[in-house]
Amino acid sequence: MKCKQVVIPEFGAAEVLSFQEIEIPQPQAGEVLVKVAYSGINPIDVKTRAGLGWAAAENKDNLPWVPGYDIAGTVEGLGEGAEKFEVGEEIVGFIGFPVRGGGYSQYVCIPESELTLIPNSVALEAAAALPLAGQTAAQAINKAQVQEGDRVLILAGAGGVGHIAVQIAVAAKAEVYTTCSERNLDYLATLGAHAINYEFAPASERLSDVDVLIDLVGGDTALDALKCLKDNARVVTIPTITAELVCEKAKLLGFEASGMLVSPDAKQMETLLYMVGVGLLKTEIQHVYPYQQVVEAHQQVETSRTRGKVLLNMQC
Ligand SMILES: NC(=O)c1ccc[n+]([C@@H]2O[C@H](COP(=O)([O-])OP(=O)(O)OC[C@H]3O[C@@H](n4cnc5c(N)ncnc54)[C@H](OP(=O)(O)O)[C@@H]3O)[C@@H](O)[C@H]2O)c1
């Protein structure tokens, strides 16, 4: 049997994505061979494919490159000394971030330290939606030191990161406000947030006295949201491309502000899985595409209108 992979052979529009077939790799010492069931797509994959950002710069001499940082699947083999898992167990990983990637593959060898066991109570699809987006959400909420009773504004609560950030902030007993378009108002209300329709009016015209801003949009939208904050508010801005601009303006206004780059953490993954397992967190999956339809999947993520996550089914 062979292993099919999705590759970026050259930077460009979604249509450049193509397929290659390799021998199933052999796990080296300390590695696990994973049969990937689902691979998650993140905006960074789409930007890198277009040749934008530092992951593209790092991999420009390394094409064709297999993208993908989120995988969920089954342990298929173990390298020498790998003892954290057993063959047949279900695992999830935030793998090879930011340079190696490799998740859009039917089989992949991963250092066991990058993987986390999926409890029986969590479906593979739900787990695959968690790694990059879930850890970004958790790390942003931690960085902003969200406390019980804080008024927290999360821009783009319906997206991959946003829908998890909203739920973690609600679980921390914050009063959560979030921006979305009209079609996501009801969805975000069911997660326990006060949803604000940004198509109707900018956040600054609807909200004030906010303690914490979690910015998942950046640019002018983030600058407008700074007007909602009260003195000494905390700002965490996630889109790297406008982080400097947003932080500079926020600091000028007297707020505590920082950008953030998510950092893979297998222990944090356990906590997120636990939350899903006991029903404290629900991952939203807009669509699962067969990997052969990766072009359409990338085009969907590129719209910036995805509710929750988009996954690739790697075994169909
Ligand atoms: N620094 C890091 O480590 C890091 C990590 C992860 C993500 N990121 C970045 O963070 C951003 C969010 O990531 P993501 O995965 O959550 O993206 P995503 O899933 O593509 O976000 C899509 C969501 O954004 C909402 N949206 C679009 N424009 C909006 C606006 N003007 N106001 C409010 N909501 C808006 C959409 O809701 P509607 O359809 O209702 O408009 C949609 O649900 C991206 O720029 C990503 O690259 C950075």
Side-chain angles (χ1 to χ4, degrees):
M1 236 180 35
K2 297 271 192 180
C3 165
K4 298 207 176 65
Q5 303 181 308
V6 177
V7 294
I8 299 173
E10 58 181 311
F11 296 134
E15 291 78 4
V16 300
L17 290 165
S18 49
F19 306 98
Q20 71 182 19
E21 206 172 65
I22 60 164
E23 297 296 328
I24 294 176
Q26 293 295 315
Q28 304 301 302
E31 287 186 341
V32 173
L33 171 64
V34 180
K35 181 176 181 181
V36 179
Y38 299 99
S39 186
I41 298 184
N42 290 288
I44 186 176
D45 304 354
V46 167
K47 291 174 196 166
T48 305
R49 189 217 67 230
L52 304 172
W54 37 266
E58 290 288 331
N59 282 298
K60 70 178 184 336
D61 299 322
N62 191 22
L63 304 179
W65 181 67
V66 181
Y69 302 112
D70 294 349
I71 58 155
T74 313
V75 175
E76 193 77 6
L78 297 167
E80 200 189 318
E83 51 196 25
K84 200 170 152 191
F85 306 102
E86 288 176 20
V87 170
E89 286 183 326
E90 292 188 339
I91 47 77
V92 59
F94 182 2
I95 66 164
F97 186 76
V99 176
R100 197 184 73 233
Y104 294 9
S105 184
Q106 291 184 316
Y107 293 86
V108 62
C109 291
I110 312 284
E112 62 175 359
S113 58
E114 295 183 22
L115 299 171
T116 305
L117 188 69
I118 302 176
N120 290 337
S121 50
V122 179
L124 273 168
E125 292 96 318
L130 280 175
L132 194 152
Q135 292 193 37
T136 303
Q139 289 170 26
I141 298 289
N142 288 344
K143 199 172 178 78
Q145 297 180 307
V146 171
Q147 311 286 329
E148 180 172 349
D150 276 346
R151 283 162 66 83
V152 176
L153 171 59
I154 298 173
L155 301 180
V161 178
H163 82 292
I164 297 175
V166 163
Q167 293 176 77
I168 296 175
V170 167
K173 300 191 181 154
E175 195 176 340
V176 180
Y177 296 83
T178 189
T179 54
C180 61
S181 63
E182 183 166 0
R183 69 196 174 97
N184 282 315
L185 288 170
D186 289 349
Y187 165 62
L188 285 165
T190 66
L191 299 185
H194 305 277
I196 298 171
N197 180 353
Y198 67 81
E199 295 169 316
F200 181 67
S204 62
E205 290 179 22
R206 310 280 300 284
L207 193 61
S208 58
D209 286 327
V210 167
D211 299 286
V212 172
L213 171 64
I214 306 286
D215 163 34
L216 294 164
V217 177
D220 288 344
T221 303
L223 296 180
D224 169 74
L226 295 177
K227 297 180 197 153
C228 305
L229 305 186
K230 68 176 177 203
D231 290 351
N232 302 317
R234 287 102 69 196
V235 176
V236 176
T237 179
I238 316 290
T240 46
I241 200 155
T242 58
E244 210 179 308
L245 169 80
V246 174
C247 287
E248 206 171 284
K249 184 73 195 289
K251 285 177 185 164
L252 271 177
L253 293 169
F255 306 128
E256 223 178 89
S258 55
M260 195 195 101
L261 183 63
V262 62
S263 170
D265 178 341
K267 271 273 162 215
Q268 187 171 55
M269 207 48 234
E270 269 176 31
T271 307
L272 291 167
L273 288 163
Y274 170 79
M275 288 180 76
V276 174
V278 298
L280 275 173
L281 179 62
K282 188 177 178 317
T283 53
E284 177 75 17
I285 296 167
Q286 172 156 325
H287 197 69
V288 181
Y289 292 84
Y291 76 89
Q292 297 91 335
Q293 290 176 22
V294 66
V295 171
E296 288 87 335
H298 263 226
Q299 286 168 338
Q300 171 57 43
V301 173
E302 221 150 21
T303 63
S304 292
R305 305 305 302 278
T306 301
R307 180 191 287 179
K309 296 294 300 177
V310 164
L311 304 180
L312 295 176
N313 180 342
M314 295 307 300
Q315 297 295 334
C316 54

